[in-house]
Amino acid sequence: MKSDTLTPRQLMLSPDVLAYELGQIPTPEKIENRRIATYVIIGVLASITIGIITYGIYQHHQENKRRELD
């Protein structure tokens, strides 16, 4: 079993700060960055979906217009 030795400064840190420093739990900044990235990804996917639906409606409208002219 591997045992990492802690520095004297790390031994004096509170448990939550030590866990942040050792990378055992994400920092609030990392959590916020993940949240922002998630919102951006959802926004991009929603925009693409709306674009595809709009294009489909436009194509359907064009086909109906051609049928009426014939």
Side-chain angles (χ1 to χ4, degrees):
M1 183 170 161
K2 184 181 174 189
S3 176
D4 291 331
T5 57
L6 300 176
T7 64
R9 186 186 76 72
Q10 288 175 329
L11 290 172
M12 293 187 295
L13 292 174
S14 66
D16 57 336
V17 174
L18 180 61
Y20 289 144
E21 188 171 304
L22 295 177
Q24 294 175 338
I25 57 176
T27 62
E29 292 83 16
K30 286 183 183 178
I31 293 171
E32 184 65 26
N33 288 342
R34 285 183 191 160
R35 181 176 291 151
I36 291 170
T38 302
Y39 290 149
V40 168
I41 291 171
I42 290 171
V44 167
L45 291 176
S47 298
I48 290 171
T49 303
I50 291 170
I52 290 171
I53 291 170
T54 303
Y55 181 73
I57 292 171
Y58 173 76
Q59 288 295 328
H60 183 71
H61 177 71
Q62 291 296 334
E63 288 174 13
N64 286 342
K65 201 174 187 182
R66 282 189 213 123
R67 287 183 195 153
E68 288 177 2
L69 292 176
D70 291 339

